[in-house]
């Protein structure tokens, strides 16, 4: 036996045993005598059938008491700090419970500072400690060790070492570069498993190779260095979920970043989870109104549908999504907005905008700004989907989730993949980028009545370059979703806003996601617009046009004016029905183009004041009956007379 002792201010290390035997390392707080530690090591070696081991003893003040044994890539934690960590983790799990919707408001209040007294905390703590498993209480205290006889100590040690609850699989950082750590020693690591580093940093295992694991760091990127130890957690990355997140802005891991204090939550949910099976789904048959006439009439969105919003930058994609969120104010729909790769100033202004319109009361913003790492941008939409799934599965709510945008998400994933040495494919994207987005968007669904009937409606946004919808990421997401709303730069800069291109926009759910009233009045809309566009191309030649052609062109002009809509001014379903009926039945054709907006705006106000029953009947029945049609005609005729009396000089004479 050879002894080698070295002392320094922070660490006392003692090595004993054969130089070439297996290495057994013990860390202690310095409160256990060396001969006792040697006895611990001998018993550990006996239980685990280890021969001719080499023992190293190191001192660490932060473990408080007890000891930790390291052997062949595993860590056996019998320290006081480990015991406290296990109690904390157990309490976190023990507090996880389901809150039904009748109790949700009371629960949120109960978690507030005023109604959550210290006595309640103490009561919960004592209750959790009573339920703490006996096998987890085998942490060996130094006081007990001094009091036990040798025989009792041997038996106590054998009982402790036979249990595996205290065992962790540990590894070391071989190299670190650009937020990606190459780790050795984690032989049984799982894909997407959460990895903890000694500095407190966390990461996700994304590359499983024969001798090493590629870990993408989520937090503490600057604190991880070579040779730092890390351990498996046996679990995937999770985020807090529940009603406590409503009205908050959180990062990709669910941590609040809005300065409104901590988030009270009782449950976490894995960011990755399987999509609902076919048996668990129900047909999409309930409309989700955006309040935008061009979308609700031409490319309707149903609850549980995935509708892509696609177009060049600065064509109004985000505005449509925010309009849809604002329009859910009294619709009992919870919204989740996920800005990916945007400037933090834009995210702050968006949150302020939603707050101004009263939408933050039912909205969660999961932000991954451009200043965040690629890993956080990669995980953000999956975290947001996990938050939405809690509302859908457990609270049976309808949820609207907006991914803004998946182009930047794909770029973040490409950056991670290239750092992990994965081979690039088309347009330098990895081959599994299609699978990345498909497993995200497939989690949106309408659940069957047996599962409560909740739904997640997804509005992914994709940015095109130079109007090219045939690029790799746009074609991928188009093939995954149930339709797309294409925004044309030409229409946008010509003043047609929202700039929905009717020819390239489609909803594969279609009329199933429309009320009978909207379906009836929107039927001729697409055909009229297509005919007007075709006739307008002929009129460019300057030849004389017959009366029918002029009528079609005028009809197209009226429809385009009617479909124009200002930002953040959504229309109700009844307003859309009245507006579309008047436009498609040529009631606005006598007007000059610049007078159309004024006429139908004042017409709506006139009907609200003098014929309020029209709005009530449309809202309640959602059917466009002959009685409602005749009442609209009467209201229109009455208002037209007063309008003509005031605006005779503006009327076009055909």
């Amino acid at each position: 036996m050879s002894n080698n002792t070295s002392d320094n201010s922070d660490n006392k290390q003692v090595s004993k045993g054969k130089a070439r035997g297996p290495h057994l390392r013990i860390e202690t707080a310095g409160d256990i005598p060396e001969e006792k530690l040697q006895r611990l090591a001998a018993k550990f070696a006996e239980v685990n059938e280890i021969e001719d081991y080499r023992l190293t003893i190191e001192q660490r003040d932060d473990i408080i008491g007890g000891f930790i044994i390291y052997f062949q890539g595993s860590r056996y934690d019998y320290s006081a700090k480990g015991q406290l960590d296990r109690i904390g983790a157990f309490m976190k799990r023990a507090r996880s419970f389901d809150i039904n919707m009748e109790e949700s408001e009371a629960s949120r209040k109960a978690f507030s500072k005023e109604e959550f007294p210290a006595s309640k905390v103490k009561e919960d703590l004592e209750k959790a400690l009573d339920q703490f498993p006996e096998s987890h209480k085998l942490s060996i205290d130094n006081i007990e060790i001094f009091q036990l006889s040798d025989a009792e100590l041997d038996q106590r040690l054998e009982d402790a070492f036979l249990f595996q609850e205290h065992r962790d699989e540990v590894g070391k950082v071989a190299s670190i570069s650009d937020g990606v750590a190459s780790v050795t020693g984690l032989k049984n690591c799982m894909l997407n498993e959460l990895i903890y580093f000694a500095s407190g940093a966390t990461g996700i295992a994304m590359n499983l190779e024969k001798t090493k694991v590629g870990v993408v760091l989520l937090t503490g990127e600057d604190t991880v260095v070579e040779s730092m130890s890390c351990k498996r957690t046996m679990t995937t990355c999770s985020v807090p979920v529940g009603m406590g997140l409503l009205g908050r802005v959180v990062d990709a891991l669910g941590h609040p970043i809005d300065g409104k204090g901590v988030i009270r939550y009782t449950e976490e949910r894995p960011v990755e989870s399987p999509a609902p099976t076919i048996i668990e789904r129900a047909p999409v048959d309930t409309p989700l109104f955006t309040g935008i006439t061009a979308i609700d009439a031409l490319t309707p969105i149903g609850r549980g549908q995935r509708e892509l919003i696609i177009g060049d930058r600065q064509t109004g994609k985000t505005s449509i999504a925010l309009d849809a969120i604002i329009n859910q104010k009294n619709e009992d729909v919870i919204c989740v907005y996920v800005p990916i790769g945007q400037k933090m100033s834009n995210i702050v202004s968006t949150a302020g905008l939603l707050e101004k319109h009263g939408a933050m009361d039912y909205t969660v913003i999961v932000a991954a700004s451009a200043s965040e790492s690629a890993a956080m941008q990669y995980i953000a939409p999956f975290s947001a989907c996990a938050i939405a799934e809690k509302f859908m599965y457990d609270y049976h709510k309808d949820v609207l989730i907006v991914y803004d945008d998946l182009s930047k998400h794909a770029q973040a994933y490409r950056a991670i993949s290239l750092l992990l040495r994965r081979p690039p494919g088309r347009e330098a994207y990895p081959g599994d980028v299609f699978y990345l987005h498909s497993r995200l968007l497939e989690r949106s669904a309408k659940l069957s009545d047996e599962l409560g009937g909740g739904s997640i409606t997804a509005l992914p946004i994709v940015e095109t370059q130079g109007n090219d919808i045939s690029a790799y990421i746009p074609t991928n997401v188009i093939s995954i979703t149930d339709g797309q709303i294409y925004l044309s730069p030409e229409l946008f800069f010509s003043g047609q806003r929202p700039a929905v291109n009717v020819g390239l926009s489609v909803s594969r759910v279609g009329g199933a996601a429309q009320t009978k009233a909207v379906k009836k009045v929107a039927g001729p809309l697409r055909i009229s617009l297509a005919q007007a566009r075709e006739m307008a191309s002929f009129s460019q030649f300057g030849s004389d046009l017959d009366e029918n052609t002029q009528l079609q062109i005028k009809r197209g002009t009226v429809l385009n004016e009617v479909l124009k809509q200002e930002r953040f001014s959504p229309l109700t379903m009844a307003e859309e029905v009245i507006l579309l009926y008047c436009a498609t039945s040529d009631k606005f054709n006598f007007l000059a183009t610049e007078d159309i907006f004024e006429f139908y705006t004042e017409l709506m106000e006139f009907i609200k004041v003098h014929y309020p029953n029209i709005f009530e009947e449309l809202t309640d029945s959602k059917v466009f009956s002959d009685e409602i049609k005749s009442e609209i005609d009467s209201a229109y005729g009455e208002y037209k007379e007063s309008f003509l009396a005031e605006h005779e000089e503006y009327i076009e004479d055909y």
Side-chain angles (χ1 to χ4, degrees):
M1 297 285 288
S2 61
N3 295 342
N4 181 18
T5 305
S6 62
D7 292 291
N8 39 46
S9 58
D10 297 323
N11 185 19
K12 181 179 180 181
Q13 180 171 303
V14 179
S15 297
K16 294 178 178 291
K18 295 188 176 182
R20 294 187 179 180
H23 186 203
L24 191 81
R25 182 163 62 93
I26 296 181
E27 291 181 348
T28 174
D31 52 352
I32 303 177
E34 185 179 327
E35 59 271 14
K36 293 285 187 182
L37 293 173
Q38 292 179 17
R39 191 178 187 88
L40 294 175
K43 194 62 184 179
F44 180 84
E46 179 186 334
V47 171
N48 292 278
E49 300 179 354
I50 305 170
E51 297 181 359
D52 300 330
Y53 62 89
R54 178 167 53 92
L55 175 63
T56 301
I57 300 173
E58 297 180 1
Q59 182 174 327
R60 271 181 56 191
D61 296 335
D62 62 329
I63 65 175
I64 306 173
F67 59 92
I68 303 173
I69 298 176
Y70 292 87
F71 180 70
Q72 290 186 344
S74 295
R75 182 179 74 167
Y76 302 82
D77 192 345
Y78 303 96
S79 66
K81 182 178 183 298
Q83 179 81 310
L84 292 172
D85 290 343
R86 286 189 289 274
I87 291 174
F90 175 78
M91 285 189 62
K92 198 171 183 181
R93 291 193 300 270
R95 287 179 58 209
S96 176
F97 57 89
D98 293 330
I99 308 172
N100 57 41
M101 290 311 298
E102 290 76 21
E103 298 174 340
S104 62
E105 287 301 319
S107 300
R108 290 175 66 186
K109 291 179 181 177
F111 284 132
S112 67
K113 195 171 184 180
E114 294 79 8
E115 301 185 33
F116 202 64
S119 59
K120 175 65 175 172
V121 177
K122 183 178 179 182
E123 181 184 334
D124 288 349
L125 177 61
E126 291 174 349
K127 183 178 178 182
L129 289 175
D130 289 340
Q131 298 173 349
F132 193 60
E134 286 295 325
S135 62
H136 284 61
K137 297 179 182 178
L138 290 173
S139 175
I140 300 178
D141 191 284
N142 60 320
I143 298 176
E144 291 183 357
I145 290 176
F146 285 123
Q147 293 174 347
L148 296 176
S149 65
D150 289 348
E152 291 173 330
L153 177 60
D154 284 347
Q155 185 59 50
R156 180 67 187 275
L157 291 174
E158 184 171 348
D159 291 341
F161 294 147
L162 285 174
F163 283 92
Q164 297 297 309
E165 280 86 354
H166 308 308
R167 178 183 175 183
D168 293 320
E169 188 173 336
V170 296
K172 282 194 173 183
V173 178
S175 62
I176 175 75
S177 176
D178 295 317
V180 175
S182 181
V183 176
T184 58
L186 303 181
K187 296 180 180 178
N188 301 311
C189 187
M190 301 179 294
L191 187 66
N192 289 330
E193 183 175 353
L194 194 64
I195 306 296
Y196 281 160
F197 292 83
S199 65
T202 57
I204 300 179
M206 292 187 65
N207 257 26
L208 305 182
E209 301 177 24
K210 190 173 183 179
T211 59
K212 61 183 180 179
V213 175
V215 180
V216 178
L217 298 177
L218 294 174
T219 61
E221 181 179 332
D222 298 333
T223 64
V224 178
V225 295
E226 288 187 15
S227 300
M228 179 178 284
S229 62
C230 60
K231 72 169 186 175
R232 294 178 58 199
T233 61
M234 314 293 180
T235 183
T236 57
C237 184
S238 301
V239 290
V241 294
M243 287 292 177
L245 273 76
L246 292 180
R248 303 301 299 271
V249 182
V250 299
D251 65 9
L253 297 178
H255 303 144
I257 57 175
D258 53 6
K260 296 181 180 179
V262 298
I263 295 175
R264 306 286 182 178
Y265 66 95
T266 59
E267 187 178 347
E268 290 186 344
R269 188 177 179 89
V271 298
E272 295 264 16
S273 60
T277 63
I278 294 176
I279 302 299
E280 295 171 341
R281 296 174 185 251
V284 176
D285 56 7
T286 307
L288 186 136
F289 284 106
T290 64
I292 301 171
T293 310
I295 294 174
D296 293 338
L298 296 170
T299 55
I301 300 171
R303 299 190 180 187
Q305 186 178 346
R306 301 153 299 178
E307 184 79 2
L308 172 65
I309 301 174
I310 186 170
D312 282 10
R313 65 184 303 271
Q314 298 296 320
T315 52
K317 302 185 295 299
T318 300
S319 296
I320 286 179
L322 296 180
D323 271 339
I325 291 175
I326 291 170
N327 196 50
Q328 307 310 313
K329 188 169 185 178
N330 299 312
E331 298 294 328
D332 195 27
V333 175
I334 291 174
C335 301
V336 183
Y337 178 62
V338 197
I340 307 168
Q342 298 184 18
K343 291 188 293 185
M344 185 56 77
S345 59
N346 290 348
I347 298 173
V348 171
S349 63
T350 299
L353 186 70
L354 294 176
E355 188 84 48
K356 176 184 174 183
H357 289 86
M360 282 302 291
D361 294 339
Y362 53 87
T363 302
V364 184
I365 297 180
V366 183
S369 67
S371 60
E372 297 274 8
S373 66
M376 293 290 273
Q377 294 182 41
Y378 156 73
I379 208 75
F382 293 97
S383 300
C385 194
I387 292 170
E389 283 176 332
K390 173 66 177 178
F391 296 123
M392 176 178 73
Y393 284 112
D394 295 348
Y395 299 146
H396 313 303
K397 284 284 194 179
D398 293 313
V399 186
L400 171 65
I401 185 166
V402 177
Y403 303 110
D404 188 11
D405 64 86
L406 292 188
S407 302
K408 293 185 177 67
H409 182 238
Q411 290 166 12
Y413 185 65
R414 174 172 63 186
I416 293 172
S417 298
L418 294 176
L419 289 169
L420 290 168
R421 304 293 186 217
R422 293 181 181 177
R426 179 177 165 189
E427 297 180 23
Y429 288 101
D432 63 336
V433 73
F434 177 89
Y435 174 63
L436 172 79
H437 287 152
S438 64
R439 76 174 189 265
L440 171 67
L441 294 172
E442 283 297 328
R443 292 161 70 177
S444 301
K446 186 178 190 301
L447 295 182
S448 61
D449 292 336
E450 289 77 11
L451 293 178
S455 69
I456 294 179
T457 307
L459 294 181
I461 296 175
V462 167
E463 182 180 298
T464 55
Q465 303 287 336
N467 233 3
D468 182 16
I469 61 171
S470 64
Y472 188 36
I473 300 302
T475 51
N476 274 356
V477 184
I478 285 172
S479 64
I480 297 167
T481 51
D482 307 314
Q484 69 272 353
I485 299 168
Y486 178 68
L487 303 180
S488 169
E490 291 80 9
L491 290 175
F492 184 85
F493 294 120
S494 67
Q496 185 68 35
R497 300 175 186 178
V500 179
N501 185 313
V502 180
L504 293 176
S505 300
V506 64
S507 172
R508 297 187 182 97
V509 173
Q514 284 180 312
T515 60
K516 292 181 179 179
V518 175
K519 189 188 300 185
K520 187 170 184 179
V521 297
L525 186 60
R526 189 181 294 269
I527 296 173
S528 298
L529 284 170
Q531 288 177 341
R533 189 180 300 110
E534 185 178 355
M535 293 302 173
S537 62
F538 284 110
S539 67
Q540 294 176 358
F541 297 107
S543 56
D544 293 334
L545 303 176
D546 58 34
E547 187 176 339
N548 185 47
T549 303
Q550 290 180 0
L551 177 62
Q552 289 181 338
I553 293 174
K554 180 62 179 180
R555 188 177 293 158
T557 302
V558 169
L559 291 176
N560 281 326
E561 288 298 314
V562 164
L563 294 180
K564 288 181 182 178
Q565 202 164 329
E566 295 180 1
R567 294 179 67 194
F568 316 126
S569 56
L571 300 179
T572 64
M573 185 270 293
E575 289 173 329
E576 290 179 355
V577 170
I578 296 171
L579 184 59
L580 289 173
Y581 167 68
C582 293
T584 53
S585 57
D586 297 339
K587 294 187 184 299
F588 297 155
N589 285 12
F590 72 95
L591 292 163
T593 303
E594 59 271 15
D595 288 335
I596 295 174
F597 176 77
E598 178 189 353
F599 182 88
Y600 76 69
T601 303
E602 294 180 358
L603 172 64
M604 289 295 177
E605 293 298 325
F606 179 82
I607 295 176
K608 284 179 183 178
V609 174
H610 296 89
Y611 295 86
N613 59 303
I614 295 178
F615 284 95
E616 293 173 2
E617 291 175 18
L618 280 173
T619 303
D620 294 339
S621 68
K622 297 180 174 57
V623 175
F624 190 70
S625 62
D626 292 337
E627 292 79 9
I628 293 176
K629 180 180 177 181
S630 61
E631 288 180 4
I632 295 174
D633 289 339
S634 300
Y636 166 79
E638 188 176 333
Y639 175 73
K640 183 179 177 180
E641 289 182 9
S642 62
F643 183 85
L644 290 175
E646 297 178 8
H647 301 82
E648 290 184 13
E649 67 275 15
Y650 296 110
I651 301 174
E652 288 188 357
D653 183 16
Y654 290 99

